[in-house]
């Protein structure tokens, strides 16, 4: 909690400086580096917010009556991660068949779904990343190289070694913790050289989903 609070001030300063730079420089000068900073600051803000809420025991605290439109979050996440495929022979496909609303802060959906989409886009070299949102489930599948079975069974554990981890080793551990607290489920199935399928299974607020026509 203390660390997350302390990080908020420098993050706000960085965000303010980026806003000033955007006004000072034309779009053609330094646009890509600024976009990377904006994305990084956004990711860090989401993470610190999630850690603060987790430290307060968010699952029993419903005083704010927060709700989250999952479809809106997924659209934003896919847009934010398309740049990861920019120099690859790969495509990102988004399919939204429903608009479920969850009884939670959106930051938790951002962490869970963001990790799954980002991992798929990061580790694929060619092929297709397919993001499919249904009434009670988000599926992120890819046609990449798959995951070593020895590593697959350790993905949700903390403290993976650098050689074992597909990333920092922290992201999926946090995903699992968030899902456990909300009584959600997250699963990852993979076969080497055949791709990976990650599923985020949740329970929407009754009667709150609007089907997409």
């Amino acid at each position: 909690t203390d660390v997350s609070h302390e990080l908020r001030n420098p993050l706000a300063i960085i965000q303010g400086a980026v806003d000033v730079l955007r006004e000072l420089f034309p779009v053609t000068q330094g646009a890509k580096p600024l976009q990377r900073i904006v994305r990084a600051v956004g990711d860090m803000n989401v993470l610190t917010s999630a850690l603060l809420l987790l430290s307060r025991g968010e699952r029993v605290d419903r005083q704010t009556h927060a709700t989250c439109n999952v479809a809106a979050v997924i659209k934003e996440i896919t847009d934010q991660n398309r740049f990861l495929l920019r120099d690859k022979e790969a495509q990102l496909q988004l399919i939204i068949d429903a608009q479920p609303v969850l009884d939670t802060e959106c930051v938790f959906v951002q962490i869970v779904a963001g990790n799954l989409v980002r991992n798929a886009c990061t580790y694929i070299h060619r092929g297709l990343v397919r993001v499919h949102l249904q009434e009670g489930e988000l599926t992120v599948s890819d046609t990449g190289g798959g995951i070593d079975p020895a590593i697959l069974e350790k993905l949700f554990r903390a403290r993976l070694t650098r050689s074992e981890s597909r990333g920092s080793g922290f992201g999926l551990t946090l995903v699992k913790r968030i899902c456990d607290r909300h009584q959600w489920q997250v699963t990852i199935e993979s076969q080497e050289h055949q791709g990976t399928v990650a599923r985020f299974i949740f329970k929407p607020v009754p009667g709150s989903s609007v089907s997409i026509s």
Side-chain angles (χ1 to χ4, degrees):
T1 302
D2 291 341
V3 170
S4 295
H5 274 298
E6 291 297 325
L7 285 172
R8 285 194 159 188
N9 285 335
L11 285 174
I13 292 171
I14 296 171
Q15 182 66 63
V18 170
D19 292 340
V20 172
L21 289 172
R22 279 173 153 178
E23 295 180 0
L24 290 177
F25 293 98
V27 174
T28 55
Q29 296 182 12
K32 289 183 179 179
L34 283 176
Q35 289 172 358
R36 294 193 190 102
I37 296 172
V38 169
R39 281 193 295 264
V41 172
D43 289 344
M44 292 173 72
N45 277 320
V46 167
L47 179 58
T48 54
S49 296
L51 292 175
L52 280 170
L53 289 168
L54 283 171
S55 69
R56 296 168 185 165
E58 84 295 333
R59 190 164 170 262
V60 295
D61 181 9
R62 299 301 187 196
Q63 295 180 359
T64 59
H65 302 290
T67 59
C68 178
N69 183 321
V70 180
V73 172
I74 301 306
K75 287 178 182 177
E76 181 179 5
I77 287 171
T78 52
D79 287 343
Q80 289 174 345
N81 284 280
R82 287 186 188 279
F83 81 99
L84 292 170
L85 303 179
R86 185 174 50 211
D87 299 321
K88 302 178 181 181
E89 297 177 8
Q91 294 181 330
L92 178 58
Q93 180 185 43
L94 173 62
I95 302 172
I96 295 180
D97 287 331
Q99 290 190 346
V101 176
L102 295 182
D103 182 16
T104 188
E105 302 278 354
C106 278
V107 64
F108 294 122
V109 179
Q110 288 176 296
I111 290 286
V112 176
N115 265 275
L116 301 182
V117 174
R118 183 165 56 252
N119 284 344
C121 292
T122 298
Y123 296 103
I124 194 173
H125 297 291
R126 62 179 59 86
L128 176 68
V129 175
R130 187 172 183 264
V131 181
H132 186 192
L133 178 62
Q134 301 175 75
E135 179 64 22
E137 178 179 324
L138 173 72
T139 303
V140 181
S141 58
D142 67 71
T143 58
I147 306 172
D148 185 323
I151 297 175
L152 184 63
E153 64 180 15
K154 302 178 183 179
L155 280 181
F156 295 107
R157 302 179 191 174
R159 303 183 184 279
L160 286 179
T161 66
R162 190 174 185 85
S163 61
E164 289 177 324
S165 176
R166 285 165 59 101
S168 66
F170 179 69
L172 287 176
T173 303
L174 180 59
V175 164
K176 183 66 164 57
R177 182 177 173 183
I178 290 172
C179 287
D180 287 346
R181 289 211 177 190
H182 286 79
Q183 297 182 334
W184 299 336
Q185 290 181 299
V186 58
T187 64
I188 296 179
E189 300 174 359
S190 184
Q191 294 186 16
E192 286 190 278
H193 312 300
Q194 295 186 34
T196 302
V197 179
R199 290 184 174 88
F200 168 31
I201 302 169
F202 49 82
K203 184 179 180 180
V205 175
S208 60
S209 178
V210 178
S211 297
I212 303 291
S213 59

